[in-house]
Amino acid sequence: MFKSLGRVLFFCLISLLFCWRIYAQNSQHVVSISYRGDTLFAISNGIDALSADERAEQFVQNMDKALKNPFVKIDTLSIKDKSDRTGIFLGDKAIFWVTEEDAKAAQKNRRALALEWEKIIEKHLFKQNSLDSPHNYWYDIFYILVVTIVLFFSM
């Protein structure tokens, strides 16, 4: 009785370990790509020697470099295909590469995923540009003056 129970428990333990190993191989490390506080999209695969975390960090660095150039305009965002990946470019600088693995994870083709991510990046850049525009600073100055005048006359 105890021998057969021991064998069953041993078999269950081995099966559990085997299933856990398969699960661990199939589960991927998902990294959210954020820029200036907004999460734009998520990736789960590395590219060449870069891990998913390094790709996310590289995206932020590439965006910062491209946006420091005063001649780069947001409307120059484009995509370009290569044989094994599709690049998202800001001006003439590649800011991110979409791979076949990214497309498989999203269950889309590579170009469609690159277009989707390009639109997300473009929307984020327009939002950031409107928040950082001098027009908003003039409104801030106007509101500060109004509040100052109201407080001055209310005393």
Side-chain angles (χ1 to χ4, degrees), residues 3-70:
K3 284 186 179 183
S4 62
L5 182 62
R7 287 181 186 154
V8 169
L9 288 176
F10 178 73
F11 178 74
C12 289
L13 180 64
I14 295 299
S15 298
L16 183 64
L17 290 174
F18 181 72
C19 290
W20 180 258
R21 183 172 180 217
I22 291 173
Y23 171 77
Q25 287 176 346
N26 291 335
S27 65
Q28 297 176 341
H29 175 64
V30 176
V31 175
S32 295
I33 295 190
S34 300
Y35 189 69
R36 293 188 179 177
D38 290 335
T39 299
L40 303 178
F41 46 88
I43 59 170
S44 60
N45 299 303
I47 182 173
D48 296 333
L50 296 175
S51 69
D53 291 315
E54 291 168 330
R55 284 179 71 196
E57 186 178 318
Q58 187 180 44
F59 170 77
V60 172
Q61 291 171 355
N62 290 342
M63 287 286 285
D64 286 340
K65 274 188 220 174
L67 292 174
K68 282 182 184 175
N69 183 349

Side-chain angles (χ1 to χ4, degrees), residues 118-134:
E118 176 196 25
K119 295 297 178 204
I120 292 170
I121 294 168
E122 183 178 48
K123 182 179 174 185
H124 175 75
L125 290 176
F126 276 119
K127 176 184 156 193
Q128 287 294 79
N129 195 31
S130 67
L131 291 175
D132 295 341
S133 73

Side-chain angles (χ1 to χ4, degrees), residues 65-84:
K65 274 188 220 174
L67 292 174
K68 282 182 184 175
N69 183 349
F71 299 110
V72 171
K73 298 198 179 350
I74 295 170
D75 59 354
T76 62
L77 200 61
S78 63
I79 62 170
K80 296 178 184 169
D81 286 315
K82 285 193 169 188
S83 62
D84 62 336

